[in-house]
Amino acid sequence: MERRFRIRLEELLNDAEVRPSVLQGVLPRLESFLQPFVGALQSPEQRINAQHYVQGLLSDLDGKDVESIAYLHDRERQGLQKFMGQAEWDHRPLVTELARQIAAELSEDDGVLVFDPSAFVKKGTESVGVQRQWCGRLGKVENCQIGIYLGYVSRREHALVDFRMFLPQVWAKRKRRRAKAGVPKEVRFQTRHELMLDMLDEHGSILPHAWIAGDDELGRCSWFRQQLRERDERYLLAVPSNTLVRDLKAPEPPSTKSGRACKAPFQRVARWCAAVPEKAWQSIEVRAGEKGPLVVQAAWTLVQARTEGKVSDVMEILVVFREKQSDGTWKHDYLLSNAWVTTSLQEFARVFKAEHRIEECLQRAKGEAGLADYQVRSWEGWHHHQTLALLATWFLTQEARPEKKTHSCIDGAASAEDDRPVVEWDVEVRSPGADSPHDESPFEEKRRSAALPLAVSQTLAASTV
């Protein structure tokens, strides 16, 4: 296990220690917690069903499907099954209230919105959206459904805000299959990136944030990065090691015989990284745990990227983090950003760490709130289950926060007015040489894109060498 993950595991295990007193009165607290959500449901019966279902998701049942939850409450399963899979109640007001609460409890001006797809392995072909597709959890193509999730990360905590089902194109085109699974007529095929942008457009204005973060599925898509720039969003997105970039800070090659100026060639980011001199790497010390600090190193440059065969017409920043493994090798993470060139490496490290927090959110939701423990097949059933599972996860987050000895959140210190105990990733950069152009970060420009036309960025690149 990599050292950073081992340290993180120790922190999570320490956070998992709960005093018996914490469990006193938990059911009344849950009932009170659910009131703002279930108030949107049409009837008392629906409100009771929602309450029973969330209680089951939070129980110690081995399998948290409808039948098991119904038996837990000593009731017939048919009523709960109909409520989850067939009843026409709108889940969107509950998600809206969830987003409102997360904004009220966790928001900070420099918060991070993180997107992440997650797969649910399924058997058969009847469950809505199921097909053979890439399953990240198993690391291979498998028969599964895909959910797209939006998370919010701040120094206070991190939480899942919203979700979308990815409906494959083969499903979207087949009317009979859609009708059998109850897919609404107005639902059309949308790519994963389009679903992410839908959630950003819906919640971006109420969730204060300075960054968009995500894995290489987001970063490799030039269209998605362009859409974020058009929305004046600032991003730090992972990209694969084979991503092609042109180093705008590299010396220009000699001119041709005809006198025409030449540009530096495109090369893989892994190849660029291998050529970085040791003195160019800056050490970032992340203080976490009692066994000493975790140190990673970072390097950066200004680039023109070529992804999906398309050459970008704007300058971006390539940031590379590396961490030494137990066998002496280095693990590298490559990221593209449209941030200002004055953005500090500390800030990039903070956002980079935030991107991994949504994985913790999904692990908690699946491991403790039954996010993956469903047997519904219909469109409505899937969305109903996902909604109530996210509410259960938010309740767990709320319950854990006052008792935490440390805060499992991203780097930095809490604001002075926050009286909650917060101990988080404290990032410090040890520069090996001259002053870096990243020494200060202009937070008054939190979300504005710094994308510049290449004609302008070439001059800028030369000035930062």
Side-chain angles (χ1 to χ4, degrees):
M1 182 184 295
E2 296 178 18
R3 183 166 178 253
R4 61 175 171 173
F5 293 120
R6 186 170 62 252
I7 291 174
R8 187 69 186 140
L9 177 61
E10 292 173 358
E11 291 179 340
L12 293 173
L13 290 175
N14 290 335
D15 286 348
E17 295 180 3
V18 180
R19 296 198 300 268
S21 60
V22 176
L23 300 178
Q24 296 177 0
V26 66
L27 287 179
R29 289 199 301 275
L30 175 59
E31 184 176 354
S32 176
F33 164 84
L34 288 173
Q35 286 307 309
F37 300 101
V38 300
L41 299 178
Q42 297 175 355
S43 67
E45 182 181 4
Q46 286 186 342
R47 291 191 281 272
I48 291 173
N49 282 331
Q51 196 167 24
H52 280 179
Y53 197 78
V54 174
Q55 287 175 356
L57 292 176
L58 294 171
S59 71
D60 59 354
L61 289 171
D62 291 334
K64 298 178 181 180
D65 55 272
V66 171
E67 184 173 359
S68 299
I69 293 174
Y71 292 161
L72 175 68
H73 293 285
D74 195 23
R75 53 176 290 183
E76 295 293 331
R77 68 177 186 274
Q78 287 82 1
L80 197 58
Q81 284 177 332
K82 183 177 180 180
F83 169 73
M84 291 301 298
Q86 301 172 21
E88 295 182 356
W89 55 273
D90 187 2
H91 69 282
R92 294 310 305 171
L94 283 71
V95 174
T96 299
E97 172 62 18
L98 174 62
R100 187 199 67 79
Q101 288 193 18
I102 291 173
E105 293 288 333
L106 306 184
S107 67
E108 292 180 334
D109 288 344
D110 59 347
V112 184
L113 296 182
V114 187
F115 294 101
D116 194 30
S118 187
F120 302 88
V121 177
K122 292 292 174 182
K123 296 180 180 179
T125 61
E126 299 299 317
S127 297
V128 62
V130 70
Q131 74 168 19
R132 289 188 60 80
Q133 51 196 330
W134 178 257
C135 177
R137 182 169 64 86
L138 299 180
K140 63 178 182 179
V141 174
E142 187 55 85
N143 200 56
C144 61
Q145 297 167 308
I146 300 292
I148 311 298
Y149 294 87
L150 166 64
Y152 184 77
V153 185
S154 74
R155 295 171 180 82
R156 298 178 177 183
E157 250 297 352
H158 40 280
L160 295 174
V161 179
D162 201 355
F163 61 94
R164 294 288 190 275
M165 163 164 276
F166 172 66
L167 191 69
Q169 201 161 10
V170 65
W171 267 86
K173 290 181 177 180
R174 296 183 180 178
K175 294 183 180 180
R176 182 176 298 179
R177 200 177 189 188
R178 287 172 59 111
K180 187 174 182 179
V183 179
K185 293 182 179 180
E186 64 272 15
V187 173
R188 60 180 178 83
F189 171 74
Q190 288 181 286
T191 66
R192 301 183 188 192
H193 301 100
E194 288 173 331
L195 294 172
M196 295 174 192
L197 291 173
D198 279 353
M199 288 189 281
L200 174 61
D201 293 340
E202 180 175 351
H203 300 295
S205 61
I206 67 169
L207 292 169
H209 64 282
W211 292 90
I212 306 294
D215 63 17
D216 60 11
E217 182 173 336
L218 283 67
R220 67 159 64 99
C221 180
S222 56
W223 178 84
F224 183 72
R225 302 199 315 275
Q226 178 187 12
Q227 289 296 309
L228 293 180
R229 293 193 295 268
E230 291 180 0
R231 288 166 169 79
D232 281 334
E233 295 286 354
R234 184 168 55 169
Y235 57 77
L236 181 67
L237 303 174
V239 292
S241 61
N242 62 354
T243 301
L244 297 175
V245 296
R246 170 180 284 138
D247 187 352
L248 300 180
K249 294 177 65 178
E252 291 186 357
S255 301
T256 63
K257 292 182 179 180
S258 62
R260 187 179 64 180
C262 294
K263 297 180 180 179
F266 282 96
Q267 59 182 322
R268 293 188 174 194
V269 292
R271 184 176 179 182
W272 176 88
C273 180
V276 174
E278 283 299 316
K279 64 180 182 180
W281 291 95
Q282 297 190 45
S283 295
I284 302 178
E285 187 173 287
V286 183
R287 298 189 181 95
E290 299 178 355
K291 297 184 178 180
L294 171 66
V295 177
V296 298
Q297 295 183 336
W300 69 276
T301 191
L302 303 176
V303 299
Q304 180 184 19
R306 185 165 73 189
T307 53
E308 300 177 317
K310 299 177 182 178
V311 178
S312 176
D313 59 356
V314 299
M315 175 197 73
E316 293 174 283
I317 298 176
L318 171 66
V319 184
V320 181
F321 291 100
R322 72 177 187 178
E323 180 186 351
K324 204 161 194 177
Q325 306 300 295
S326 57
D327 60 0
T329 60
W330 292 94
K331 179 183 182 299
H332 296 85
D333 291 284
Y334 310 95
L335 306 105
L336 286 177
S337 177
N338 64 333
W340 296 98
V341 293
T342 50
T343 304
S344 66
L345 282 176
Q346 296 100 315
E347 180 69 356
F348 282 128
R350 182 183 75 88
V351 180
F352 172 60
K353 294 297 181 184
E355 189 262 318
H356 297 288
R357 296 297 181 254
I358 192 171
E359 298 172 8
E360 295 175 9
C361 291
L362 288 167
Q363 288 172 3
R364 165 174 275 189
K366 291 181 178 182
E368 301 177 36
L371 184 70
D373 294 354
Y374 60 89
Q375 295 180 355
V376 292
R377 293 182 173 180
S378 68
W379 175 272
E380 290 289 350
W382 189 87
H383 286 80
H384 290 167
H385 171 82
Q386 294 287 317
T387 299
L388 296 182
L390 259 60
L391 298 189
T393 307
W394 176 233
F395 176 74
L396 289 174
T397 302
Q398 293 286 68
E399 285 288 291
R401 288 178 65 208
E403 289 297 319
K404 281 193 173 183
K405 294 174 291 186
T406 60
H407 237 304
S408 53
C409 53
I410 59 175
D411 320 47
S415 58
E417 67 269 20
D418 186 1
D419 58 358
R420 288 176 288 254
V422 178
V423 178
E424 62 291 295
W425 296 86
D426 183 12
V427 179
E428 175 184 323
V429 171
R430 300 198 300 259
S431 177
D435 292 342
S436 166
H438 300 283
D439 285 342
E440 295 182 0
S441 178
F443 276 100
E444 67 273 9
E445 298 288 352
K446 284 185 177 63
R447 286 180 52 191
R448 295 182 61 185
S449 168
L452 297 175
L454 284 175
V456 177
S457 65
Q458 292 283 4
T459 302
L460 177 61
S463 69
T464 59
V465 174

